[in-house]
Amino acid sequence: MDPAVLGTRMASAVIGPVLRKLLVQEGPGAGLTRSPVRISGLVTFRGEKATLAEKDVRLLVGRLVAGSVTSSGTPPFPLDETTAVGDALTRTLLALGDLTMDDVQAVRLGHRDLARRLRAAAPAPGLSADAGYFVDSATEWACLHILQFFTQRSTFVARTLVEQSRGQAELIAKIDEVIARTAPAHSHDRAFETRYRAHLTGRHNRLMIFGLDLRDSDETWPLDLAYLSLEARADDEPEPLPDAAQSGTPRLTAEESLAAHDRVLLRGEAGSGKTTLVQWLAVTTEDRVPYVLPLRTLIRAARLPAPAEFLAATDCPHTPPDGWAERVLTDGRALVLVDGLDEVPSGDRVRVRDWLLALVRAYPGNRWLLTARPTAVRPGWLAADGFGELTLAPMDRGRVTAFVRRWHTAAGAPEHEEPLLDALRAKPDLAALATNPLMCGLICALHRARRGYLPPRRKALYDAALQMILTERDRQRGMAGLDGIELETDDQLELLQRLAYSLVLAGRTEMDEETALALLERALPSVPAAAAQGDAPAILRHLLLRSGVLRSPAPRLVDFAHRTFLDHLAARYAVEEGHLDVLLGHADDTQWEDVLRMAVAHARTRERTRLLRGLLAPGRPRLALLALACLQDAAAVDQEVAEEVRATAAALIPPRTVSEAERLALAGPLLLELLPGPDGLTDAEAHAVTVTASLLGREGALPVLKRFRGHGSLPVRRQLVGTWHRFDAQEYADEVLAHLDRDRLDLTVRTREQWAAARTMPPWQRLDLLGPYTWEEILAGTDPDRLVSLILTDNPRVHGLRPLDDLPALRTLSLIDCPGITDLTPLARTDLGHLGITRQPHVRGLPELTGLTSLTVSQPLTGTALTDGLPRSDRLRNLYLTRDAITATGLRGLSGLGGLTYLSVSSSAGTLEAADWAEIAAHPTLTSLFLAGDVLPPPPLPELPGITGLGLHLPGGPDQFAAHAALFPAVRTVEIFPGRTADQDPAAYRRLFPDADVTFPPR
């Protein structure tokens, strides 16, 4: 193989991590077999436990190819063949799963002959000479790494082919050396980046899980075992698609959501996994250079670091080449992960924002992530500079179950797994605590340590956790007093809570060592058992080394291992010292919310009464909800006070919008008994109430949702369908779904359990089916003569569209990531009215579908004009363009769609130019238009006198459309979607259209 064809593009540090994702990491069984293992059992996209689908393999290959094209040097093949090259390489790697040989035979065959076998199984005709040579070379390079993987993971091969294993390793090292020698300018950058990524992996590739170190278990997990992909909710752009496409809210993993945005402010509660996600991105990101910047450390310096200082500021031991950081950022190759805005004092957050925005503006094209607690800064804090906002969602039942199973596997305690899962199902109060990785870990550890007993409230749970972490851990492992100091739990708490309270008062999450020593020096006389065993330095050293609660994140710095313990202990001390006025004086500070909740839990009855009534001041609705949330943490509350709190909070109920519903849900499960309806509620209020109950989730919310199952509002009914995943599939189907009015309502099925439950109900006419189902399964689960709408998502098992001949009533079809469907022409003989295609890159035949009246395109169109890839027909009335649809074509040829009356161009479709605006203005029949504020071309532009109906998504507020409003002189109806972070004042938008009826859909 000639490595020069790849240059530095596919060195081991780049291709290795990608290929590891395609190969099963855990061994076959216990790895004790002496028999060779079939290759099909070693790839992650085949077998009974497949973890990757074809689209995932295609995505990984796409990253490799894109990196090869965009890296420095001459592209190895013509750029217009990038897609074809990616397809060819994907098919070649997928052919691994079809080889009949085993791993021993593959290693003996050698990497060149293995590559020939793969190319023969997946030929790539039609490529140019350069593109074909690239695919051949990349295949050989991949096979070399694959064989190296076999020699390392298979116990049989490792015993029998040790010498060949060494040879493979030597060959890879030699080729990497050749690559380094033949690299163009800045090859030293690549070499440094290899060392830097190794440093990131070593630093961030393990995750502490509380409770795993009780006996003989390691206290940390490898990140690839511990990481559990969570969901992120975004301020999704409203797409006025046909009803068939609007069932349910898409639920994306945090990684998927982040991949769609270059600038993100990620919010998440304490323990929700923000920092873990940052670690995961730092370790797994392959196409960019990650920087992990913890604000808790950076903020202590007189000024925040410049790019050249990023590594030094985070204690990276490696020195980069001169100008490296500048080159990375200038080339747009950086992923900057800024963690912990909530751990910065309020007065310093503006300084952080100015620093971050200066970097963003100076170095466009990079990706930026900032994490914070939900209430750290106001909504839209960075919206004006293009930052989208995402929120990590609480773990649903499936993720909690997965976490519990992984925890018990890592802890070697399978006998406790099912009893805990049963307890979580049977006890709503306990299940309500298990909503994030931290709490799940604590619950698992306590359940094992206490042989099944678990306290029902947060305070008791935290107390029990601290008892376990501070003392029981070392005693069970025989390590108590290892450093000559042995302190009881209460003695440690007495010292730790003083450090915690000092930090909370200062608005910080870490302190320098000198401050910690001074505090301990003053505290030791009141803790004689500690004073007798050592001075302040000795005690601090003991707490840092053995407590598991206090740690040193950097030299001469001290902080708490988790903010939850910081707040809990600070509240304990504040109550003990009688600092109730201090607590109430900080009630408006969002950083003190958990401190106040824990203070109410720690307080005695009279103190609790004073705190709760102090939160009920008139005109402070947020504090009333905080008081309501405090009730669930209190063991006993005076009945009169509890009624006052509930009565005050009831004035905030029912919520009127989705945003209000989300804020209200923070009050916790006690809110369920206050939720009204459906009688006496408007449709918007009914929808918001069902959103609140859905977010509270679990079995306790089911009775509330059941009350709305006869409601006629479509948003209410969609919400009831969309929250199905939070409950037992069969129970929810029986109690709620089977009773819904199905008019214009899709049934969204996400899991096999839901599909089984769906088949116990009468067949639905509108079905949104996610996952791999064959046509036979789909037709068996529906009434073919009555099915009018079908959405298929992430389905590699459907092939061809001829089975639709058996669906005579079908009028709406959407295909999303269904790679087996490549030819749309069979639809030409059906009565289909609406078609949607998303991520179907190889599909053909769309221009032949001249009978369509409505079309959604969520992928790039081919050709140079709309009419090259769309059906040129006067029957087409509605056209919806999203997801890069017009990046190549613009709106050229729009006039060729002569019957069009409605056009929607979302923010992801591609930016409009003046020529596109002119196409809209010249269209003879277009009367309705939907636009996103960030696709608009700058004035001057021609007027659009034919547009009478207008929909607008304005995440930047009314100013985003101020210069364009006058271009619509005939508009009579305007529907505004302001976005969560934008100005919500209706009057500000109505001023743009004084002669039109301006409405705002509820959210």
Side-chain angles (χ1 to χ4, degrees), residues 68-70 75-84:
S68 302
V69 170
T70 59
F77 53 82
L79 294 181
D80 59 2
E81 291 189 88
T82 301
T83 300

Side-chain angles (χ1 to χ4, degrees), residues 837-963:
I837 55 171
T838 301
R839 297 191 294 276
Q840 299 284 134
H842 304 292
V843 76
R844 63 182 182 276
L846 184 57
E848 280 72 40
L849 305 185
T850 55
L852 293 176
T853 59
S854 178
L855 176 63
T856 298
V857 180
S858 299
Q859 60 189 47
L861 285 166
T862 58
T864 59
L866 293 179
T867 46
D868 292 339
L870 299 181
R872 188 179 299 195
S873 166
D874 289 345
R875 296 189 63 182
L876 187 63
R877 296 286 186 267
N878 303 322
L879 179 61
Y880 307 87
L881 302 171
T882 74
R883 294 180 184 262
D884 300 318
I886 58 172
T887 51
T889 65
L891 294 181
R892 289 182 294 277
L894 185 67
S895 58
L897 308 176
L900 208 63
T901 61
Y902 179 89
L903 174 66
S904 169
V905 183
S906 79
S907 61
S908 59
T911 303
L912 296 179
E913 298 179 356
D916 300 316
W917 194 271
E919 290 274 0
I920 298 173
H923 199 284
T925 61
L926 201 61
T927 59
S928 297
L929 191 62
F930 178 88
L931 295 171
D934 44 5
V935 307
L936 302 172
L941 298 168
E943 289 187 348
L944 304 182
I947 303 299
T948 58
L950 184 62
L952 295 172
H953 176 233
L954 300 177
D959 292 344
Q960 199 169 13
F961 203 72

Side-chain angles (χ1 to χ4, degrees), residues 71 105 115 195 280 367 369 380 414 468 472 482 572 590 617 684 697 720 722 732 798 803 823 840 843 898 961 972:
S71 59
Q105 294 167 334
R195 297 197 307 276
W280 180 255
R367 293 180 62 191
L369 173 67
M468 176 186 69
E472 291 180 9
L482 191 65
R572 185 178 189 265
T590 56
L720 293 177
Y732 194 84
V798 289
D823 185 7
Q840 299 284 134
V843 76
F961 203 72
R972 292 295 174 263

Side-chain angles (χ1 to χ4, degrees), residues 31 33-36 103-104 108 154-161:
T33 177
R34 300 186 62 84
S35 302
D103 53 357
V104 174
R108 286 175 176 163
S154 170
T155 56
F156 178 72
V157 176
R159 286 196 303 270
T160 59
L161 299 176

Side-chain angles (χ1 to χ4, degrees), residues 1-7 9-10 65 68 74-78 81 84-86 88-89 92 112 115-116 119 123-142 178:
M1 183 181 84
D2 180 7
V5 73
L6 298 180
R9 296 180 174 89
M10 298 182 74
V65 174
S68 302
T74 303
F77 53 82
E81 291 189 88
V85 167
L89 192 53
T92 302
R112 288 192 176 90
R116 290 190 190 101
R119 290 197 295 267
L127 295 178
S128 66
D130 286 343
Y133 192 43
F134 178 87
V135 171
D136 291 347
S137 299
T139 302
E140 288 192 13
W141 192 210
V178 173

Side-chain angles (χ1 to χ4, degrees), residues 433 439 442-443 446 449-450 453-472 488-490 492-494 496-497 549 564-565 567-573 576 598-603 608 633 635:
L433 294 176
M439 292 307 303
L442 291 179
I443 289 171
L446 288 170
R450 296 185 164 212
Y453 170 74
L454 287 169
R457 291 188 178 85
R458 282 206 308 168
K459 174 187 174 296
L461 190 64
Y462 295 160
D463 285 340
L466 286 169
Q467 174 75 27
M468 176 186 69
I469 295 169
L470 292 174
T471 54
E472 291 180 9
E488 293 298 322
T489 301
D490 286 344
Q492 294 185 68
L493 291 176
E494 186 65 34
L496 290 169
Q497 68 184 15
V549 176
T564 295
F565 295 131
D567 292 343
H568 175 76
L569 292 171
R572 185 178 189 265
Y573 186 77
E576 285 184 2
M598 288 296 97
V600 170
H602 283 291
R608 192 173 290 138
D633 294 310

Side-chain angles (χ1 to χ4, degrees), residues 317-623:
H318 301 299
T319 301
D322 290 342
W324 171 76
E326 183 78 15
R327 287 191 293 275
V328 168
L329 286 159
T330 301
D331 292 344
R333 295 196 299 119
L335 170 62
V336 185
L337 305 165
V338 185
D339 189 31
L341 181 64
D342 53 286
E343 299 176 358
V344 172
S346 300
D348 286 329
R349 291 178 191 171
V350 172
R351 178 159 69 103
V352 170
R353 181 175 63 182
D354 293 345
W355 164 75
L356 178 60
L357 293 182
L359 291 171
V360 170
R361 293 162 185 163
Y363 300 103
N366 296 285
R367 293 180 62 191
W368 310 81
L369 173 67
L370 176 64
T371 72
R373 283 197 183 184
T375 54
V377 290
R378 61 174 174 78
W381 195 61
L382 292 170
D385 290 273
F387 274 77
E389 295 196 2
L390 300 176
T391 300
L392 282 178
M395 292 167 66
D396 58 21
R397 176 180 294 180
R399 283 175 167 79
V400 170
T401 299
F403 185 98
V404 170
R405 295 195 187 283
R406 291 187 189 185
W407 192 97
H408 286 87
T409 298
E415 69 277 10
H416 294 292
E417 180 180 300
E418 288 302 326
L420 177 56
L421 289 174
D422 290 340
L424 289 169
R425 296 184 191 105
K427 299 178 180 178
D429 289 344
L430 177 63
L433 294 176
T435 58
N436 64 55
L438 173 73
M439 292 307 303
C440 281
L442 291 179
I443 289 171
C444 289
L446 288 170
H447 182 265
R448 185 180 82 165
R450 296 185 164 212
R451 302 181 184 276
Y453 170 74
L454 287 169
R457 291 188 178 85
R458 282 206 308 168
K459 174 187 174 296
L461 190 64
Y462 295 160
D463 285 340
L466 286 169
Q467 174 75 27
M468 176 186 69
I469 295 169
L470 292 174
T471 54
E472 291 180 9
R473 174 186 57 181
D474 277 356
R475 287 174 182 171
Q476 290 181 9
R477 298 170 71 193
M479 299 180 68
L482 191 65
D483 58 355
I485 297 176
E486 184 173 1
L487 299 176
E488 293 298 322
T489 301
D490 286 344
D491 295 330
Q492 294 185 68
L493 291 176
E494 186 65 34
L495 300 172
L496 290 169
Q497 68 184 15
R498 297 180 187 228
L499 300 178
Y501 190 55
S502 176
L503 283 171
V504 168
L505 280 176
R508 296 187 177 276
T509 57
E510 64 181 19
M511 64 177 62
D512 57 66
E513 189 176 297
E514 290 75 15
T515 302
L517 288 170
L519 290 168
L520 290 176
E521 196 78 55
R522 291 196 293 270
L524 279 175
S526 61
V527 189
Q533 298 186 61
D535 57 9
I539 296 298
L540 178 60
R541 184 167 56 253
H542 172 79
L543 293 175
L544 289 171
L545 292 175
R546 305 302 324 151
S547 74
V549 176
L550 208 64
R551 66 177 187 175
S552 180
R556 307 194 66 78
L557 288 179
V558 174
D559 73 353
F560 282 78
H562 201 279
R563 180 67 180 267
T564 295
F565 295 131
L566 173 68
D567 292 343
H568 175 76
L569 292 171
R572 185 178 189 265
Y573 186 77
V575 170
E576 285 184 2
E577 295 299 306
H579 293 177
L580 304 188
D581 288 336
V582 175
L583 290 166
L584 291 172
H586 287 85
D588 284 314
D589 187 340
T590 56
Q591 279 194 300
W592 283 66
E593 284 182 357
D594 270 358
V595 179
L596 275 156
R597 290 185 62 172
M598 288 296 97
V600 170
H602 283 291
R604 291 162 293 198
T605 302
R606 280 187 292 180
E607 295 166 333
R608 192 173 290 138
T609 295
R610 183 177 167 192
L611 286 172
L612 290 172
R613 282 187 167 144
L615 294 173
L616 298 181
R620 302 168 80 185
R622 188 186 70 82
L623 297 190

Side-chain angles (χ1 to χ4, degrees), residues 9-23 25 44 52 56 60-61 63-64 141-142 145-146 149 176 193-194 197-198 201 224 280-288:
R9 296 180 174 89
M10 298 182 74
S12 300
V14 179
I15 196 172
V18 172
L19 290 176
R20 279 198 296 272
K21 295 182 180 180
L22 304 183
L23 300 169
Q25 299 300 307
T44 54
L52 292 185
D56 302 305
L60 293 173
V61 170
R63 293 176 183 170
L64 282 179
W141 192 210
H145 278 269
I146 289 167
F149 170 84
D176 277 339
E193 286 170 20
T194 300
R197 289 183 185 276
T201 299
D224 56 1
W280 180 255
L281 293 173
V283 170
T284 61
T285 296
E286 298 159 359
D287 57 339
R288 291 179 181 268

